[in-house]
Amino acid sequence: MDTSESSTEHPTEHPASATPPRRGWRRWAMDTRPLRRPAYRRLWASTVVTAVGSQLTAVAVPKQIYDITGSSAWVGYASLAGLLPLVVFALWGGAVADSMDRRKLLLITNSGIAVTSVLFWLQAATGLDSVVVLMVLLAAQQAFFGLNAPARSASIARLVPEHELAAANALGSTVMQTGLVAGPLLAGALIPVTGLPELYLIDALALSVVVWAVLRLPALPPLGATVTRRAGVREIAAGFRYMALHKVLLLSFLADIVAMVLGMPRALFPQLAAETYAPYGEGLALGLLFAAIPIGAVAGGLFSGTFSRARRHGWMVIGAVVAWGVAVTGFGLSTSLWVAVAFLAAAGVADMVSMVFRGAILLSAATDEIRGRMQGVFTVVVAGGPRLADVLHGTAGAAFGARTAVVGGGVLVVAVMLTLTAAVPDLRRYRV
């Protein structure tokens, strides 16, 4: 392990000593300053490897379940089987991340995820064809992920200085969104050639690279004179109390809930592809609708230099959520597939900006001894919000029509976000 890197609250560099402003086209491109820090570079590189690998498993599991059962309902049940462990272990994992060396926790959890990937490969290679085994493995994998995600995110604030947190979040989010696009495409290309077992094996091999990268991180023990060594219900509740007392943190979570629950229309994509955009070809329309938001997010990340140096993080979140609502409204009003895709891509850009600055607020506004628990709540919100949106929009689409539901959701996002901003000024006043 490289012991030369500091594990203090932030590297010692002061913003004034940072690299001079970039000129020309480079000021618009992705801000890569955090990659100059070896520890963060290793953590980010491991994300690059797993962003695609994890998506191979995400495609393989529902595909295998459908092949076994011939039922989409079982695919949905499997999704729910993974959601409950994710929620429970993300909340607990946040408390654990605040009570022990985060590097050690990352080693344990990444190893656990790798083992589940190997087991996925074994059951597929041996032709076990058991839905129960698949759902148990999926639940175990999501539990390990729930423990892993808070520690991983909370560690970033120990590896880069505060003024580079937005840039670091943009780098990580761009990689993950790229994986959402490239991973399923690669899986679709590999399944006819190699079959499902090899997808699981590739993911397992990618995770071994992650374990190696984490081994080379510096130690990340808890900071502060009064460090809790427990991670129980009382500590989890303390995290929620902390969030309630710090309105800027609470509002950052509410902003994401408003955007995702009220304004994520993906449950209506199949209906819109079959009805509104059928003349373009239902298959083509469906693929473009699902790909548009991640593609927009990737584009936003590649040009994150346009916004990553902003210091008014609160206003950036507010503006991004309002822009998301406007773009979703535009999508709902569009009868042209290409205009609709353009609006969804714009929504993806807004989502990237929101992710970057919400993440930066969580890392900078919370102290180190509580960051793990805040990231645990963040993981639950990010995972649960779109699923609640699927229920809400699916129900509204059946009752009022798909386009009406989409437009209504977009308008509600704008109205609720502006109302929150006017009623509680803490978020709009927050700046680094």
Side-chain angles (χ1 to χ4, degrees):
M1 183 184 72
D2 185 355
T3 58
S4 63
E5 297 161 48
S6 170
S7 63
T8 55
E9 176 75 7
H10 294 296
T12 55
E13 179 187 6
H14 189 274
S17 64
T19 306
R22 297 180 294 177
R23 301 180 183 280
W25 67 270
R26 294 182 62 218
R27 65 181 176 174
W28 307 103
M30 179 180 285
D31 186 350
T32 59
R33 289 174 298 164
L35 294 180
R36 297 175 182 175
R37 307 183 185 279
Y40 174 78
R41 185 166 63 245
R42 289 167 191 152
L43 189 67
W44 180 82
S46 70
T47 305
V48 173
V49 174
T50 58
V52 174
S54 63
Q55 288 302 308
L56 298 182
T57 295
V59 170
V61 170
K63 167 65 174 167
Q64 189 178 1
I65 290 175
Y66 185 80
D67 287 346
I68 294 170
T69 65
S71 169
S72 294
W74 275 104
V75 176
Y77 299 152
S79 178
L80 291 177
L83 177 60
L84 181 60
L86 175 62
V87 170
V88 172
F89 282 89
L91 293 176
W92 182 52
V96 175
D98 289 335
S99 66
M100 68 178 289
D101 187 315
R102 288 171 185 156
R103 172 180 170 272
K104 184 181 296 184
L105 181 56
L106 288 173
L107 282 172
I108 294 170
T109 53
N110 280 313
S111 299
I113 296 171
V115 169
T116 58
S117 292
V118 171
L119 293 176
F120 271 125
W121 169 67
L122 282 174
Q123 61 81 32
T126 57
L128 189 59
D129 287 346
S130 170
V131 175
V132 173
V133 170
L134 279 166
M135 293 177 75
V136 169
L137 288 175
L138 180 62
Q141 184 190 62
Q142 291 302 295
F144 278 118
F145 178 78
L147 288 167
N148 177 276
R152 187 180 188 87
S153 299
S155 298
I156 295 173
R158 300 277 291 276
L159 304 179
V160 301
E162 187 176 23
H163 63 280
E164 292 182 9
L165 286 176
N169 282 331
L171 285 164
S173 297
T174 301
V175 166
M176 296 307 297
Q177 292 294 323
T178 302
L180 290 176
V181 176
L185 292 176
L186 182 60
L190 287 177
I191 287 173
V193 178
T194 65
L196 288 176
E198 284 70 20
L199 297 189
Y200 296 126
L201 186 59
I202 292 170
D203 189 19
L205 292 173
L207 284 160
S208 68
V209 176
V210 176
V211 173
W212 174 81
V214 172
L215 271 171
R216 301 198 65 202
L217 291 177
L220 297 167
L223 297 178
T226 57
V227 176
T228 177
R229 295 296 176 182
R230 300 180 65 244
V233 175
R234 182 179 300 176
E235 285 69 37
I236 295 172
F240 281 100
R241 286 197 300 272
Y242 184 93
M243 181 175 65
L245 292 172
H246 294 75
K247 290 181 181 178
V248 69
L249 294 173
L250 182 61
L251 287 169
S252 70
F253 287 118
L254 288 176
D256 187 50
I257 291 171
V258 167
M260 289 297 103
V261 174
L262 298 179
M264 170 54 83
R266 68 183 185 183
L268 297 172
F269 288 168
Q271 184 178 349
L272 288 166
E275 295 176 356
T276 304
Y277 307 118
Y280 296 88
E282 186 175 346
L284 172 65
L286 187 61
L288 287 173
L289 293 179
F290 272 105
I293 292 177
I295 289 173
V298 171
L302 292 176
F303 293 95
S304 60
T306 57
F307 57 81
S308 63
R309 287 176 168 80
R311 298 187 65 191
R312 295 184 178 275
H313 289 186
W315 271 117
M316 294 301 291
V317 171
I318 294 166
V321 172
V322 170
W324 166 274
V326 171
V328 168
T329 302
F331 162 63
L333 294 172
S334 302
T335 55
S336 164
L337 175 63
W338 305 110
V339 174
V341 168
F343 272 117
L344 286 177
V349 175
D351 189 38
M352 171 61 71
V353 176
S354 174
M355 282 191 290
V356 165
F357 288 103
R358 282 185 293 106
I361 288 172
L362 287 180
L363 290 173
S364 59
T367 57
D368 187 74
E369 60 266 23
I370 205 75
R371 281 190 186 122
R373 278 164 281 186
M374 293 300 98
Q375 294 299 327
V377 176
F378 180 76
T379 301
V380 170
V381 170
V382 169
R387 288 174 169 88
L388 291 176
D390 289 345
V391 175
L392 178 62
H393 282 76
T395 303
F400 307 109
R403 293 181 64 197
T404 301
V406 173
V407 172
V411 171
L412 276 175
V413 168
V414 175
V416 173
M417 193 66 230
L418 291 179
T419 301
L420 273 176
T421 302
V424 189
D426 297 64
L427 185 59
R428 70 174 187 263
R429 290 175 180 171
Y430 181 80
R431 60 184 294 167
V432 174

PDB file of all heavy atoms in Angstrom, residues 83 97 208 237 242-243 247 285 346 359 378 391 418:
ATOM      1  N   LEU A  83     -34.317  -4.770  -4.047  1.00  0.00           N
ATOM      2  CA  LEU A  83     -34.507  -3.423  -3.500  1.00  0.00           C
ATOM      3  C   LEU A  83     -34.466  -3.407  -1.974  1.00  0.00           C
ATOM      4  O   LEU A  83     -33.805  -2.560  -1.369  1.00  0.00           O
ATOM      5  CB  LEU A  83     -35.842  -2.847  -3.989  1.00  0.00           C
ATOM      6  CG  LEU A  83     -36.205  -1.462  -3.441  1.00  0.00           C
ATOM      7  CD1 LEU A  83     -35.164  -0.428  -3.825  1.00  0.00           C
ATOM      8  CD2 LEU A  83     -37.588  -1.040  -3.932  1.00  0.00           C
ATOM      9  N   ALA A  97     -19.785   2.813   7.818  1.00  0.00           N
ATOM     10  CA  ALA A  97     -18.734   3.620   7.188  1.00  0.00           C
ATOM     11  C   ALA A  97     -18.249   4.743   8.091  1.00  0.00           C
ATOM     12  O   ALA A  97     -17.129   5.228   7.933  1.00  0.00           O
ATOM     13  CB  ALA A  97     -19.245   4.204   5.866  1.00  0.00           C
ATOM     14  N   SER A 208     -12.199  -8.013  -9.474  1.00  0.00           N
ATOM     15  CA  SER A 208     -10.871  -8.298  -8.913  1.00  0.00           C
ATOM     16  C   SER A 208      -9.939  -7.115  -9.120  1.00  0.00           C
ATOM     17  O   SER A 208      -9.075  -6.846  -8.278  1.00  0.00           O
ATOM     18  CB  SER A 208     -10.286  -9.560  -9.558  1.00  0.00           C
ATOM     19  OG  SER A 208      -9.986  -9.356 -10.933  1.00  0.00           O
ATOM     20  N   ALA A 237     -30.370   6.453  13.430  1.00  0.00           N
ATOM     21  CA  ALA A 237     -31.328   7.505  13.792  1.00  0.00           C
ATOM     22  C   ALA A 237     -30.627   8.839  13.988  1.00  0.00           C
ATOM     23  O   ALA A 237     -31.163   9.901  13.629  1.00  0.00           O
ATOM     24  CB  ALA A 237     -32.073   7.108  15.063  1.00  0.00           C
ATOM     25  N   TYR A 242     -29.435  14.454  12.335  1.00  0.00           N
ATOM     26  CA  TYR A 242     -28.458  15.410  11.805  1.00  0.00           C
ATOM     27  C   TYR A 242     -28.980  16.039  10.519  1.00  0.00           C
ATOM     28  O   TYR A 242     -28.903  17.251  10.317  1.00  0.00           O
ATOM     29  CB  TYR A 242     -27.135  14.687  11.550  1.00  0.00           C
ATOM     30  CG  TYR A 242     -25.999  15.572  11.088  1.00  0.00           C
ATOM     31  CD1 TYR A 242     -25.103  16.123  11.989  1.00  0.00           C
ATOM     32  CD2 TYR A 242     -25.814  15.848   9.727  1.00  0.00           C
ATOM     33  CE1 TYR A 242     -24.054  16.926  11.572  1.00  0.00           C
ATOM     34  CE2 TYR A 242     -24.774  16.646   9.295  1.00  0.00           C
ATOM     35  CZ  TYR A 242     -23.890  17.183  10.220  1.00  0.00           C
ATOM     36  OH  TYR A 242     -22.856  17.983   9.785  1.00  0.00           O
ATOM     37  N   MET A 243     -29.543  15.205   9.660  1.00  0.00           N
ATOM     38  CA  MET A 243     -30.084  15.700   8.389  1.00  0.00           C
ATOM     39  C   MET A 243     -31.241  16.665   8.629  1.00  0.00           C
ATOM     40  O   MET A 243     -31.354  17.699   7.962  1.00  0.00           O
ATOM     41  CB  MET A 243     -30.531  14.519   7.540  1.00  0.00           C
ATOM     42  CG  MET A 243     -31.090  14.897   6.170  1.00  0.00           C
ATOM     43  SD  MET A 243     -31.470  13.437   5.185  1.00  0.00           S
ATOM     44  CE  MET A 243     -32.782  12.700   6.148  1.00  0.00           C
ATOM     45  N   LYS A 247     -30.783  21.954   7.191  1.00  0.00           N
ATOM     46  CA  LYS A 247     -31.793  22.034   6.144  1.00  0.00           C
ATOM     47  C   LYS A 247     -31.207  21.916   4.744  1.00  0.00           C
ATOM     48  O   LYS A 247     -31.869  21.411   3.833  1.00  0.00           O
ATOM     49  CB  LYS A 247     -32.573  23.343   6.278  1.00  0.00           C
ATOM     50  CG  LYS A 247     -33.484  23.371   7.510  1.00  0.00           C
ATOM     51  CD  LYS A 247     -34.257  24.675   7.580  1.00  0.00           C
ATOM     52  CE  LYS A 247     -35.151  24.713   8.818  1.00  0.00           C
ATOM     53  NZ  LYS A 247     -35.880  25.999   8.923  1.00  0.00           N
ATOM     54  N   ALA A 285     -37.999   3.402 -31.483  1.00  0.00           N
ATOM     55  CA  ALA A 285     -38.461   4.446 -30.564  1.00  0.00           C
ATOM     56  C   ALA A 285     -38.157   4.075 -29.120  1.00  0.00           C
ATOM     57  O   ALA A 285     -37.660   4.889 -28.338  1.00  0.00           O
ATOM     58  CB  ALA A 285     -39.964   4.677 -30.752  1.00  0.00           C
ATOM     59  N   ALA A 346     -31.628  16.599 -23.046  1.00  0.00           N
ATOM     60  CA  ALA A 346     -31.466  17.818 -22.238  1.00  0.00           C
ATOM     61  C   ALA A 346     -31.776  17.527 -20.770  1.00  0.00           C
ATOM     62  O   ALA A 346     -31.090  18.038 -19.862  1.00  0.00           O
ATOM     63  CB  ALA A 346     -32.398  18.914 -22.766  1.00  0.00           C
ATOM     64  N   GLY A 359     -24.226  15.815  -4.808  1.00  0.00           N
ATOM     65  CA  GLY A 359     -23.151  15.028  -4.206  1.00  0.00           C
ATOM     66  C   GLY A 359     -22.122  15.894  -3.517  1.00  0.00           C
ATOM     67  O   GLY A 359     -21.632  15.566  -2.428  1.00  0.00           O
ATOM     68  N   PHE A 378     -28.549   8.815   0.778  1.00  0.00           N
ATOM     69  CA  PHE A 378     -28.456   9.205  -0.635  1.00  0.00           C
ATOM     70  C   PHE A 378     -28.634   7.974  -1.531  1.00  0.00           C
ATOM     71  O   PHE A 378     -29.357   8.019  -2.534  1.00  0.00           O
ATOM     72  CB  PHE A 378     -27.097   9.857  -0.884  1.00  0.00           C
ATOM     73  CG  PHE A 378     -26.880  10.309  -2.301  1.00  0.00           C
ATOM     74  CD1 PHE A 378     -27.497  11.456  -2.778  1.00  0.00           C
ATOM     75  CD2 PHE A 378     -26.052   9.603  -3.156  1.00  0.00           C
ATOM     76  CE1 PHE A 378     -27.288  11.885  -4.083  1.00  0.00           C
ATOM     77  CE2 PHE A 378     -25.837  10.018  -4.457  1.00  0.00           C
ATOM     78  CZ  PHE A 378     -26.456  11.159  -4.918  1.00  0.00           C
ATOM     79  N   VAL A 391     -44.208   3.449 -10.412  1.00  0.00           N
ATOM     80  CA  VAL A 391     -45.571   3.175  -9.936  1.00  0.00           C
ATOM     81  C   VAL A 391     -46.487   4.373 -10.198  1.00  0.00           C
ATOM     82  O   VAL A 391     -47.601   4.230 -10.728  1.00  0.00           O
ATOM     83  CB  VAL A 391     -45.559   2.835  -8.432  1.00  0.00           C
ATOM     84  CG1 VAL A 391     -46.982   2.663  -7.910  1.00  0.00           C
ATOM     85  CG2 VAL A 391     -44.734   1.579  -8.179  1.00  0.00           C
ATOM     86  N   LEU A 418     -39.732  25.249  -7.138  1.00  0.00           N
ATOM     87  CA  LEU A 418     -39.732  26.698  -6.929  1.00  0.00           C
ATOM     88  C   LEU A 418     -40.420  27.056  -5.609  1.00  0.00           C
ATOM     89  O   LEU A 418     -39.996  27.996  -4.912  1.00  0.00           O
ATOM     90  CB  LEU A 418     -40.427  27.391  -8.100  1.00  0.00           C
ATOM     91  CG  LEU A 418     -39.678  27.344  -9.439  1.00  0.00           C
ATOM     92  CD1 LEU A 418     -40.488  28.046 -10.528  1.00  0.00           C
ATOM     93  CD2 LEU A 418     -38.291  27.987  -9.321  1.00  0.00           C
TER      94      LEU A 418
END
